[in-house]
Amino acid sequence: MNYQWYPGHMTKAVRAMKEQLKLIDLVIEIIDARIPVSSRNPDLNEMAKGKYMLVVLNKSDLADPGKTAAVKKKLNDEGRIVLETDARNKASVKNVKNAALSACAEKIERDRKRGIVGRPIRAMVVGIPNVGKSTFINSIVGRSSAKTGNKPGVTKGNQWISTGAGLELLDTPGILWPKFEDQTVGRNIALIGSMNDEITEPAELALELADILKTAYPDLLKERYFKGEEDVSQMAPAEIMNSIAVSRGCIVAGGETDIVKASRLFIDDFRSGRLGRISLE
């Protein structure tokens, strides 16, 4: 299928973000640790040129720790300040404020020499839909200041939130970009739930996921859905999905398997981490 989703509110959001960037010291980019390449919006990086940057690998509790460590090292080698977080866990964001101050150390020193002391750092929190920006902010602040939801498009407009500790955060809507040149990027974004599920075909998306996992994580597939000695890595994606439908009781009248229902369950198992810690990149 062709993966693409760029609703009209995103165009409006981009214009508003460009205006707000004039007031911003720091851009905090939230990416999904499971797809650390696909979840980096090239338009956001272009907009943020000239600003201090902090990269947050969120949902790292759902990602393959070995792959996350490799990504973090690569970004560090590029000179990026990088944090791993599970935004639902307040303890995992405890270093964000210090990291933000570290990222802006040059500016803080420049202000000090001009006699400006104690002015809060103003940071814009950006990312594609459903990577946990609002949850990240709420965990830092310690209260529900930003609206959250386990689906894309919950945040519709910009909202300033003070952390009370020398850092002010601007929550922004999740934005994608008008065209995915590489459809693998679109597929990955759809798989983690950063694209409206209503415009995707769950059965096709599940076949793609089965094809990835039978090679990259066959043991996790086998542990959750298979009881015999099957060599999952040698099975066709359609065969895997049929077996998942049987194992999850997705059977309709006449004994036929309900592949669409099984597909939704399979994708949800991946997104929630019930399948295990998996990275697609």
Side-chain angles (χ1 to χ4, degrees):
M1 63 177 290
N2 182 53
Y3 297 99
Q4 202 64 52
W5 187 52
Y6 193 71
H9 77 268
M10 290 186 183
T11 301
K12 182 179 177 181
V14 170
R15 286 198 300 265
M17 290 167 68
K18 286 179 178 178
E19 284 297 313
Q20 293 283 1
L21 274 168
K22 301 171 186 176
L23 311 172
I24 297 299
D25 304 307
L26 172 70
V27 173
I28 301 177
E29 183 184 15
I30 312 293
I31 61 181
D32 192 304
R34 295 168 296 178
I35 56 167
V37 177
S38 296
S39 60
R40 299 197 75 182
N41 185 334
D43 289 352
L44 290 176
N45 283 283
E46 183 64 28
M47 278 194 290
K49 275 187 177 178
K51 299 292 181 181
Y52 299 110
M53 290 282 295
L54 171 62
V55 179
V56 176
L57 288 164
N58 194 35
K59 303 191 181 183
S60 58
D61 57 307
L62 302 176
D64 184 323
K67 291 185 178 181
T68 300
V71 170
K72 186 176 180 180
K73 181 180 185 304
K74 182 177 184 296
L75 290 170
N76 284 152
D77 289 346
E78 293 173 359
R80 303 281 190 180
I81 297 177
V82 185
L83 293 176
E84 292 179 44
T85 64
D86 163 16
R88 298 167 300 176
N89 182 350
K90 292 180 182 179
S92 81
V93 300
K94 64 181 180 181
N95 294 324
V96 169
K97 294 175 186 177
N98 287 337
L101 295 175
S102 177
C104 295
E106 183 182 50
K107 176 195 180 301
I108 294 170
E109 177 60 19
R110 189 168 62 245
D111 284 350
R112 187 189 66 78
K113 290 179 179 179
R114 294 164 55 198
I116 302 171
V117 179
R119 187 168 72 180
I121 296 295
R122 307 191 89 189
M124 177 184 284
V125 182
V126 303
I128 68 171
N130 205 32
V131 290
K133 296 182 297 299
S134 297
T135 302
F136 171 82
I137 289 172
N138 289 340
S139 290
I140 294 173
V141 177
R143 62 182 186 276
S144 295
S145 299
K147 189 176 181 181
T148 64
N150 189 27
K151 60 181 180 179
V154 172
T155 302
K156 296 295 186 184
N158 296 337
Q159 179 185 4
W160 279 105
I161 298 163
S162 175
T163 69
L167 179 65
E168 294 180 354
L169 302 174
L170 179 62
D171 190 21
T172 64
I175 60 169
L176 296 172
W177 52 107
K179 184 179 181 181
F180 302 132
E181 298 297 337
D182 181 355
Q183 280 293 294
T184 300
V185 170
R187 178 203 68 194
N188 290 344
I189 287 172
L191 280 170
I192 66 165
S194 292
M195 188 180 295
N196 188 342
D197 281 334
E198 293 179 5
I199 67 167
T200 64
E201 295 289 343
E204 290 187 35
L205 197 56
L207 285 174
E208 297 248 26
L209 181 59
D211 198 34
I212 296 167
L213 300 189
K214 75 168 193 168
T215 300
Y217 298 95
D219 290 344
L220 294 182
L221 270 179
K222 185 171 182 178
E223 181 180 347
R224 184 155 183 85
Y225 303 115
F226 297 86
K227 296 180 180 179
E229 298 300 319
E230 298 95 340
D231 184 352
V232 178
S233 66
Q234 298 302 310
M235 296 173 68
E239 187 181 1
I240 291 172
M241 288 311 306
N242 192 66
S243 296
I244 290 173
V246 172
S247 72
R248 286 292 174 265
C250 300
I251 309 296
V252 295
E256 295 291 325
T257 51
D258 187 341
I259 295 299
V260 172
K261 182 179 179 181
S263 297
R264 292 195 174 105
L265 289 173
F266 178 43
I267 292 168
D268 190 57
D269 279 350
F270 160 68
R271 290 176 179 174
S272 66
R274 287 189 291 271
L275 256 176
R277 299 181 66 171
I278 292 168
S279 293
L280 303 181
E281 297 174 324

